[in-house]
């Protein structure tokens, strides 16, 4: 297929740049007849759950409709946050100060957990504790961030630093934002290598990984669960559904109950051609991960080899392809980094994230089936952490209640998992972003 646009480099591909080094491999594992625990979804959550279950002495079979790690887990931006997004002061209004603190601390604990997992399993995924800079879209956003930074510091002890616009160039090679917030307790990795490494760790521990097999239904049969797939059936003592942003598509869903509680959304990324190291050092001093405070946010970073800019965002709330979205992302990148006007794009891709109606990730059990999902587009550390905690609970090995377990998991009347309202809500958010900026 030929792709043409002035921003596309020769050889432009619609494919995650990460897959150049770590494309999810095909497996040829047959579906077993029986499993102690069947895990639906082979992303970070499912793989992390399988690893923990094996370590606790349980047999685990991971089933994925595509290839293991093929979903968001090998497509994301590789920014590793310690629950920065979830932990907000609003939690206290909803849950009271004590429970809000428990939730915030639980989210923050995802960072040390992923760091320990990577170190313990020897996963080669370019992990770096590089820090994050969040640019303020307006001066008001900067004030709101300062309040949030105070709350985070008080409740979780997470170190953050408010940066005025005058000092922004120490953190980001652009004047596009009104200062921002630097968060040291965050990192970066190569998501494709991490997905591959986590799968290898689960397999080494004895988990069975079965790919290209879609779960079409889960039904109780006596004390077992019957897992119906497009390639046969399996019985399991217990089931964990970890399908996140891919929970529902035209072909159906493994769990209608879960699909009704998740709002799937496309996120898009482009990779630029290689740039000189001095350009990358100027644009990304300290090689930090960058995001911003817009309602429709941008997130961007240098590639782990320090040669390219990877730029992500919600280029469209309609069903746009990665190819259609790429020039939109390129234009947004040039607004922030005008010197990249003539830098072309070599790769563009998209993947699905899952939001929830209460803004929180969840684990829990419904009709005997466990679930772990809803990372709000920020799940590298969180999905790993949710999968581990869902597995610990399932194995009856949890010492205390995980703060994101069993919370009320809201849906909306008549909502079945197809977010028809996104183009409307998305356009409204984009308009609000523009108006806020004009007012500033
Ligand atoms: C473009 C993009 C950028 C992102 N950037 C970041 C970032 O920088 N930092 C960050 O923290 N997070 C980021 N995220 C979010 C992060 O990638 C996800 O939160 C995380 O990977 C979710 O992992 P998961 O295991 O829950 O789901 P996934 O990795 O999406 O895995 C779900 C799996 O379920 C399978 N599946 C679905 N239905 C079935 C079925 N019926 N039968 C069998 N299998 C099924 C799918 O094939 C898929 O492989 C980004 C996501 C995207 C898409």
């Amino acid at each position: 297929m030929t792709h043409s646009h002035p921003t596309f480099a020769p050889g432009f591909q619609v494919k995650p740049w990460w897959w150049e080094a770590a494309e999810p491999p095909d497996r040829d594992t047959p579906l077993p007849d029986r499993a102690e625990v069947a895990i639906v979804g082979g992303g970070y959550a499912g793989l992390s759950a399988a690893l923990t279950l094996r370590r606790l002495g349980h047999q685990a079979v991971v089933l994925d409709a595509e290839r293991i790690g093929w979903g968001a887990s090998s497509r994301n931006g590789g920014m590793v946050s310690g629950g920065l997004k979830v932990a907000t002061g609003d939690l206290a209004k909803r849950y009271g100060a004590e429970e809000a603190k428990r939730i915030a601390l639980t989210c923050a604990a995802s960072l040390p957990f992923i760091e320990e997992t990577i170190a313990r399993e020897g996963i080669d995924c370019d992990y770096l504790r590089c820090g994050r800079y969040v640019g303020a879209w307006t001066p008001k956003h900067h004030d709101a961030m300062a309040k949030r930074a105070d709350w985070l510091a008080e409740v979780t002890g997470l170190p953050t630093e408010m940066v005025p616009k005058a000092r922004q160039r120490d953190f980001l090679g652009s004047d596009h934002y009104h200062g921002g917030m630097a968060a040291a307790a965050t990192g970066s990795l190569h998501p494709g290598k991490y997905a591959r490494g986590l799968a290898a760790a689960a397999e080494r521990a004895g988990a069975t990984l079965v790919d290209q097999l879609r779960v079409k239904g889960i039904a109780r049969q006596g004390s077992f669960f019957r897992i119906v797939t497009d390639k046969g059936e399996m019985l399991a003592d217990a089931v964990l559904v970890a399908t996140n942003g891919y929970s529902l598509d035209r072909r159906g869903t493994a769990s209608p109950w879960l699909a009704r509680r998740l709002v799937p959304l496309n996120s898009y990324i482009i990779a630029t051609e290689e740039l000189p190291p001095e350009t990358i050092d100027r644009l990304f001093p300290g090689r930090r991960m960058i995001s911003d405070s817009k309602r429709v946010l941008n997130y961007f970073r240098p590639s782990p080899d320090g040669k390219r800019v990877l730029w992500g965002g919600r280029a469209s709330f309609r069903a746009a392809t990665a190819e259609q979205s790429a020039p939109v992302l390129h234009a947004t990148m040039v607004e922030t980094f005008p010197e990249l006007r003539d830098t072309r794009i070599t790769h563009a891709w998209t993947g699905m994230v899952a939001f929830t109606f209460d803004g929180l990730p969840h684990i829990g059990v419904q009709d005997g089936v466990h679930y772990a999902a809803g990372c709000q587009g920020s799940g590298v550390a969180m999905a790993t952490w949710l999968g581990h905690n869902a597995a610990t609970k399932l194995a009856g090995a949890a010492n205390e209640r995980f703060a994101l377990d069993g919370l009320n998991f809201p849906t909306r009347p008549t909502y079945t998992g197809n977010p028809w309202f996104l183009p409307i809500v998305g356009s409204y958010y984009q308009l609000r972003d523009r108006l806020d900026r004009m007012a500033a």
Side-chain angles (χ1 to χ4, degrees):
M1 188 178 172
T2 52
H3 307 278
S4 73
H5 188 274
T7 60
F8 295 174
F12 167 86
Q13 295 185 65
V14 177
K15 168 184 164 182
W17 178 75
W18 309 116
W19 289 14
E20 297 294 344
E23 178 159 358
D26 281 334
R27 285 178 162 76
D28 195 16
T29 318
L31 176 68
D33 299 333
R34 288 273 295 113
E36 207 179 332
V37 185
I39 299 169
V40 189
Y44 301 147
L47 294 169
S48 170
L51 182 57
T52 296
L53 282 163
R54 287 302 304 142
R55 290 184 159 269
L56 292 169
H58 297 278
Q59 190 221 0
V61 177
V62 179
L63 309 169
D64 200 291
E66 306 286 344
R67 284 168 281 158
I68 298 292
W70 168 94
S73 296
S74 64
R75 296 162 184 268
N76 62 71
M79 306 189 179
V80 187
S81 65
L84 267 183
K85 200 160 173 181
V86 169
T88 71
D90 286 350
L91 284 177
K93 287 185 203 140
R94 274 192 280 156
Y95 295 97
E98 268 313 296
E99 188 64 8
K101 183 172 179 174
R102 262 172 51 79
I103 293 173
L105 285 172
T106 294
C107 293
S110 61
L111 182 75
F113 180 76
I114 192 175
E115 289 182 335
E116 277 160 35
T117 304
I118 290 168
R120 191 191 61 227
E121 302 298 335
I123 299 176
D124 169 15
C125 60
D126 306 323
Y127 181 72
L128 193 66
R129 220 347 143 117
C130 55
R132 167 94 57 104
Y133 181 71
V134 186
W137 183 236
T138 66
K140 268 192 187 161
H141 286 194
H142 192 268
D143 295 347
M145 267 182 198
K147 281 199 190 116
R148 182 140 170 259
D150 288 346
W151 188 83
L152 272 174
E154 187 190 318
V155 170
T156 64
L158 281 176
T160 51
E161 179 190 349
M162 290 311 296
V163 178
K165 190 166 185 179
R167 280 207 302 120
Q168 181 158 260
R169 289 231 168 215
D170 295 345
F171 294 81
L172 172 68
S174 169
D175 299 319
H176 194 53
Y177 297 107
H178 290 267
M181 180 177 87
T186 56
S188 65
L189 50 65
H190 186 303
K193 291 185 185 175
Y194 178 53
R196 186 177 65 184
L198 199 58
E203 267 179 329
R204 252 192 336 266
T208 305
L209 311 184
V210 186
D211 67 355
Q212 294 168 73
L213 167 151
R214 180 168 294 277
V215 174
K216 298 167 77 112
I218 302 164
R220 261 200 196 276
Q221 183 176 315
S223 56
F224 301 108
F225 290 90
R226 178 177 290 279
I227 316 288
V228 181
T229 82
D230 56 1
K231 293 194 182 147
E233 297 189 358
M234 182 176 79
L235 288 182
D237 298 330
V239 189
L240 167 66
V241 180
T243 47
N244 207 50
Y246 295 86
S247 292
L248 176 73
D249 68 13
R250 277 173 282 111
R251 290 159 294 184
T253 176
S255 168
W257 185 88
L258 184 62
R260 286 195 63 211
R261 282 156 179 82
L262 299 175
V263 180
L265 189 62
N266 271 100
S267 193
Y268 299 86
I269 308 191
I270 52 173
T272 66
E273 359 178 49
E274 292 191 2
L275 292 157
E278 50 287 7
T279 305
I280 295 287
D281 285 336
R282 192 171 54 251
L283 301 183
F284 298 97
R287 303 262 163 110
R288 286 182 189 79
M289 303 290 101
I290 315 286
S291 59
D292 66 26
S293 65
K294 286 170 75 175
R295 286 179 177 78
V296 183
L297 94 165
N298 297 304
Y299 53 94
F300 44 105
R301 60 170 291 175
S303 56
D305 61 6
K307 292 183 176 167
R308 296 162 193 265
V309 175
L310 305 183
W311 186 282
R314 310 259 138 72
S316 173
F317 288 90
R318 295 186 162 78
T321 63
E323 191 178 349
Q324 289 163 337
S325 298
V328 181
L329 291 181
H330 185 272
T332 322
M333 176 179 79
V334 171
E335 279 171 21
T336 305
F337 296 134
E339 68 184 278
L340 298 185
R341 177 162 290 111
D342 298 324
T343 303
R344 288 168 304 176
I345 306 166
T346 59
H347 295 71
W349 67 98
T350 179
M352 302 298 290
V353 300
F355 284 78
T356 56
F357 289 103
D358 64 356
L360 287 178
H362 288 261
I363 71 164
V365 191
Q366 178 67 26
D367 300 326
V369 176
H370 291 250
Y371 57 82
C375 292
Q376 323 294 320
S378 193
V380 175
M382 187 60 78
T384 310
W385 184 223
L386 291 185
H388 165 75
N389 280 285
T392 313
K393 176 188 168 99
L394 198 154
N399 289 327
E400 57 178 61
R401 187 179 76 82
F402 182 61
L404 299 166
D405 176 13
L407 296 176
N408 174 39
F409 196 170
T411 179
R412 293 288 179 267
T414 75
Y415 180 66
T416 54
N418 174 21
W420 55 268
F421 45 81
L422 276 182
I424 304 163
V425 176
S427 302
Y428 170 71
Y429 282 169
Q430 279 163 333
L431 178 68
R432 286 287 306 271
D433 278 337
R434 279 199 294 275
L435 293 176
D436 285 354
R437 187 72 173 203
M438 279 160 67

